[in-house]
Amino acid sequence: MVILKSPEEIEKIRKSNRIVAEILAELKAHAKPGVTTGDLDRLSESLTHRRGARPAFKGYRGYPYSLCASVNQEVVHGMPSDGRVLKDGDLVSLDFGVDYQGYFGDAAITVAIGQVSREARRLMDVTEAGLYEGIREARAGNRLGDISAAVQACVEAAGCSVVRDYVGHGIGRELHEDPQIPNYGVKGRGVALKAGMVLAIEPMVNLGTYRVQVLEDGWTVVTADGKLSAHFEHSVAITDRGPEILSLLR
Ligand code: MF3
Ligand code: CO
């Protein structure tokens, strides 16, 4: 069941997502060669507490960190570590969420460390473009499959592949609400989209196969072929005036 939000609730989700967007921007500015993903995790947590919010991921199903930091062939749920030193040419996906006054925000960006390869840059650009193609379809009167199909078409036209095993989600009083939002699907199918829905759309895109594996740590998801992966996510409200991206700095 998809929970519809009132304008007052959307304002609260907007506030949470603004915090997420501000913190992701600070993390991006700090993500340089020599910095560890452990450093970024601690920074995310202190910035969150400074704003009177709570890190949404810490403790979620036992996840032990505030930030997910997935480097290169890591797709999602990369666990920050003081031993993981970022180096020139790395791609790091930073996925972050907060709970502020009972409402959640969630977003992700992929950041280039120093100078990355042309292929890596192309992967990042395609993933972000796929996210925006999906967001464009997030309007009342459309169906969920319109979002999914738009993401998939954009990504596959560029010769990249869409991860199947992890999906986007509704967001509000919970980090993960219905509906699940696959990044592949069929136009015209699925849940009817309505004003008041808030959706976290989050394509994970691979340069090679879409197949993934979970490491022994029980969290880190990596590409099956070891090739690069990227991830972008926004929380988006469906309004009478179309999609509003809540996790943007403005
Ligand atoms: N950002 C992820 C999502 O959008 C949540 C990470 S799950 C956690 O679904 F357990 F690591 F928090
Ligand atoms: Co999410």
Side-chain angles (χ1 to χ4, degrees), residues 227-249:
K227 294 188 181 173
L228 292 176
S229 187
H231 181 201
F232 281 87
E233 175 177 20
H234 274 308
S235 294
V236 178
I238 301 180
T239 76
D240 294 328
R241 287 153 281 103
E244 178 190 342
I245 303 175
L246 303 178
S247 45
L248 270 183
L249 287 182

Side-chain angles (χ1 to χ4, degrees), residues 94-167:
L94 303 175
D95 187 355
F96 185 66
V98 303
D99 166 359
Y100 182 66
Q101 298 184 348
Y103 288 83
F104 284 84
D106 185 13
I109 56 175
T110 297
V111 178
I113 304 302
Q115 192 76 19
V116 299
S117 68
R118 283 201 0 248
E119 283 287 87
R121 174 61 60 184
R122 192 173 69 88
L123 174 67
M124 286 177 65
D125 291 348
V126 165
T127 307
E128 192 169 23
L131 170 59
Y132 278 90
E133 289 295 309
I135 289 171
R136 213 151 63 122
E137 299 296 324
R139 49 182 74 251
N142 276 5
R143 299 259 177 178
L144 193 62
D146 297 341
I147 297 176
S148 304
V151 175
Q152 182 177 21
C154 176
V155 167
E156 292 183 352
C160 297
S161 69
V162 160
V163 171
R164 267 54 168 175
D165 291 0
Y166 298 86
V167 298

Side-chain angles (χ1 to χ4, degrees), residues 155-206:
V155 167
E156 292 183 352
C160 297
S161 69
V162 160
V163 171
R164 267 54 168 175
D165 291 0
Y166 298 86
V167 298
H169 50 94
I171 185 166
R173 304 289 298 261
E174 305 283 351
L175 175 62
H176 293 146
E177 296 182 357
D178 285 345
Q180 290 196 20
I181 309 173
N183 296 294
Y184 59 95
V186 180
K187 207 171 159 52
R189 298 255 185 96
V191 169
L193 301 179
K194 295 193 175 75
M197 290 182 178
V198 183
L199 307 177
I201 304 172
E202 52 177 319
M204 286 142 272
V205 174
N206 297 348

